[in-house]
Amino acid sequence: MEVEKLRAEVKSLKEQVAAKFEKYSGNYSDDPDKKMAELMTRNAVLETELENYQKYMKTATKKYEAKIKKLKKKIKG
């Protein structure tokens, strides 16, 4: 009984992995050169997005730290 339950769970997990893999792997060309170009483009886009997000977070962090400092000063004063 326990073995059958585990086998069913393993089968279910394999199907879930396959479904997710097909979702993402199907987005690229079958031609290796074209696929490499698509992946390099995707990588460049993701690097740019990450860089912009890091800049945003740095700015937002400074802004909120200044606000916190101001509020702490107000509470003490």
Side-chain angles (χ1 to χ4, degrees), residues 18-77:
K20 289 188 186 269
F21 181 74
E22 287 175 15
K23 178 181 175 184
Y24 295 107
S25 68
N27 296 337
Y28 302 104
S29 175
D30 290 334
D31 177 27
D33 293 329
K34 189 173 180 184
K35 184 175 184 177
M36 182 180 69
E38 290 170 345
L39 289 170
M40 288 177 69
T41 302
R42 180 177 181 264
N43 188 40
V45 168
L46 290 173
E47 286 177 354
T48 303
E49 285 181 9
L50 177 62
E51 191 176 305
N52 289 335
Y53 183 72
Q54 287 173 332
K55 287 178 187 176
Y56 164 76
M57 288 305 295
K58 188 181 258 186
T59 304
T61 301
K62 285 181 183 178
K63 177 181 164 186
Y64 289 116
E65 284 175 350
K67 194 171 189 175
I68 289 169
K69 195 174 187 179
K70 183 180 173 185
L71 290 171
K72 283 183 179 179
K73 199 174 192 180
K74 204 180 240 188
I75 290 171
K76 287 182 182 178

